[in-house]
Amino acid sequence: MNTRKALSLMLVVFFVVSLLMVVGCEPEAEPEDPDEEVVEPEPEDPERPVRWTLASGWVAGVYYPVSGAMSRIAYENMDNISLTAESSGASVANARLIGTKDAELAILQNDIAYYAQNGIQMFEGEGIPEMRGFFTLYPEHVQIVASADAGIENPGDLAGKSVAVGPLGSGTEANTVQILEAYDLTFDDLGTVERLTASEAADFLRDDRIDAAFFTTGLGAAAIEEVAIVKDVVIVSIEEDKIDWLLETYPYYSDEVIPAETYSGVPEARTVAVLAMVVGHADLPEDLAYEYTSNVFENIDTIHGAHERGTLITLDTALDGMPIELHPGAEQYFQEQGLLD
Ligand code: GLU
């Protein structure tokens, strides 16, 4: 055997040995069962829940805990919808998120929903006619929280003071403008105009960095109680004739009293309120909108347990103060419940 042949033989032996080693390492193949069904890799599951974003509000407000309860209801009871609650500046920002389809559902004030759908006030020239109503929730009081020693007896005394007028994108800011208007004041008459988040406004009040802050939110909001427990604050009352003017000029306001001790040590106050509500995009499929609405009311205890204001959300009052056209899915549910003709 010449050297070339010997080399070739060695190569062949090496190849055969390697092959045997590889095969030897392979796990034993299952014998094929001709009766077994072949399971194909799963394609995109059309039955998977659609993901919806629910634009809510301030972490230290009331929209946020209520939205959290809604997303829990979806998680526990809805096969078709997964709902994620997101915090935001609130009403005005949320209306815009519906317009751009960055959120499927949103909580906002009923006055702001009306302005948005009709393209008036802050929505002049950029209305959101595709916004639809689902149901209303609970009253949101305009709460003007002031340091007890700032000498603010009524909103007219805010002239020259340092004031948090509401977070960017809030409905609160619109209410602040209107209440100042009732006193013939504008932002220009204030000493300083601060645009802070609700939590920042609470911190600034506590640290005497501002004299007063506006919050349009449900009674019992964490942001206000956080200040009240550590500092002497009052809620500034709006005078009767100014309340009358506000009710006549802006029809979504109601005349309200904030009972004493709603917040630790804070005396009674008189103010105006709007209603919180849920809206969604007109394009949301009718069956899913129906499923969401029916599940909220069939599992309302979850919302009642999330915040004291949640207990005011009831089927009987679900269409009170509804300022815009209903989504057909919600409409069908309320029709079945006998709330509509
Ligand atoms: N109503 C508030 C606003 O739009 C938000 C309140 C909350 O988050 O509870 O300004």
Side-chain angles (χ1 to χ4, degrees), residues 93-115:
N94 290 355
R96 298 207 162 109
L97 289 172
I98 294 290
T100 54
K101 292 196 174 182
D102 286 307
E104 283 72 22
L105 295 171
I107 302 189
L108 41 66
Q109 298 175 195
N110 67 341
D111 53 342
I112 304 298
Y114 181 80
Y115 301 151

Side-chain angles (χ1 to χ4, degrees), residues 57-58 61-63 90-91 109 140 170-172 216-217:
W58 317 331
V62 182
Y63 292 0
S91 299
Q109 298 175 195
E140 295 193 83
S170 66
T172 299
T216 303
T217 187

Side-chain angles (χ1 to χ4, degrees), residues 54-65 67 86-91 94 107:
L54 168 60
S56 65
W58 317 331
V59 173
V62 182
Y63 292 0
Y64 199 63
S67 306
E86 274 180 18
S87 68
S88 75
S91 299
N94 290 355
I107 302 189

Side-chain angles (χ1 to χ4, degrees), residues 33 46 121 155 166 174 183 237 270 321 333:
D33 176 359
Q121 298 268 335
Y183 283 85
S237 280
R270 179 112 182 251
Y333 177 72

Side-chain angles (χ1 to χ4, degrees), residues 1-328:
M1 199 186 283
N2 65 25
T3 343
R4 262 177 76 177
K5 270 191 178 163
L7 206 63
S8 308
L9 187 67
M10 268 169 69
L11 270 174
V12 169
V13 170
F14 177 70
F15 177 70
V16 171
V17 169
S18 315
L19 197 72
L20 283 173
M21 276 169 67
V22 170
V23 170
C25 289
E26 283 275 312
E28 226 180 292
E30 289 277 333
E32 263 195 19
D33 176 359
D35 297 333
E36 205 174 72
E37 239 183 313
V38 179
V39 183
E40 298 284 7
E42 287 220 19
E44 274 285 291
D45 183 359
E47 296 296 308
R48 239 191 4 220
V50 294
R51 289 168 177 277
W52 280 3
T53 296
L54 168 60
S56 65
W58 317 331
V59 173
V62 182
Y63 292 0
Y64 199 63
V66 166
S67 306
M70 286 179 185
S71 94
R72 205 175 125 202
I73 290 175
Y75 180 73
E76 287 172 354
N77 304 283
M78 300 184 209
D79 294 334
N80 301 332
I81 306 168
S82 119
L83 200 60
T84 309
E86 274 180 18
S87 68
S88 75
S91 299
V92 175
N94 290 355
R96 298 207 162 109
L97 289 172
I98 294 290
T100 54
K101 292 196 174 182
D102 286 307
E104 283 72 22
L105 295 171
I107 302 189
L108 41 66
Q109 298 175 195
N110 67 341
D111 53 342
I112 304 298
Y114 181 80
Y115 301 151
Q117 210 199 37
N118 291 286
I120 55 173
Q121 298 268 335
M122 66 288 281
F123 297 98
E124 190 78 58
E126 43 173 17
I128 305 166
E130 61 276 29
M131 178 188 283
R132 292 290 175 275
F134 275 69
F135 41 86
T136 55
L137 300 170
Y138 56 84
E140 295 193 83
H141 297 62
V142 178
Q143 302 172 67
I144 313 168
V145 183
S147 296
D149 57 10
I152 302 168
E153 300 276 308
N154 66 62
D157 296 329
L158 291 168
K161 303 286 189 203
S162 168
V163 183
V165 296
L168 266 183
S170 66
T172 299
E173 184 173 342
N175 304 130
T176 304
V177 170
Q178 293 166 352
I179 282 145
L180 292 176
E181 186 190 358
Y183 283 85
D184 286 323
L185 298 175
T186 68
F187 283 177
D188 292 342
D189 298 305
L190 302 178
T192 336
V193 174
E194 299 280 3
R195 283 192 179 78
L196 307 169
T197 66
S199 307
E200 285 168 346
D203 291 348
F204 273 50
L205 266 174
R206 193 196 50 215
D207 300 342
D208 280 324
R209 293 169 70 186
I210 52 174
D211 299 305
F214 282 74
F215 302 88
T216 303
T217 187
L219 296 184
I224 303 176
E225 180 59 12
E226 275 163 25
V227 187
I229 47 172
V230 293
K231 188 183 163 61
D232 219 359
V233 289
V234 293
I235 296 183
V236 178
S237 280
I238 306 174
E239 292 152 303
E240 186 154 2
D241 59 326
K242 307 295 184 192
I243 288 188
D244 291 345
W245 181 86
L246 284 163
L247 264 56
E248 250 167 57
T249 315
Y250 299 105
Y252 289 101
Y253 282 132
S254 59
D255 179 1
E256 305 285 341
V257 168
I258 301 176
E261 287 305 319
T262 296
Y263 303 99
S264 307
V266 177
E268 179 181 292
R270 179 112 182 251
T271 189
V272 288
V274 290
L275 285 173
M277 65 179 291
V278 174
V279 299
H281 199 282
D283 280 358
L284 295 180
E286 208 170 315
D287 56 337
L288 294 185
Y290 176 92
E291 180 172 342
Y292 164 74
T293 310
S294 62
N295 269 289
V296 165
F297 287 97
E298 275 152 32
N299 298 287
I300 199 74
D301 288 352
T302 303
I303 299 179
H304 290 180
H307 192 277
E308 185 274 329
R309 290 286 101 177
T311 60
L312 301 179
I313 305 171
T314 66
L315 183 59
D316 285 352
T317 55
L319 297 180
D320 291 358
M322 174 58 67
I324 60 173
E325 193 184 325
L326 283 179
H327 190 286

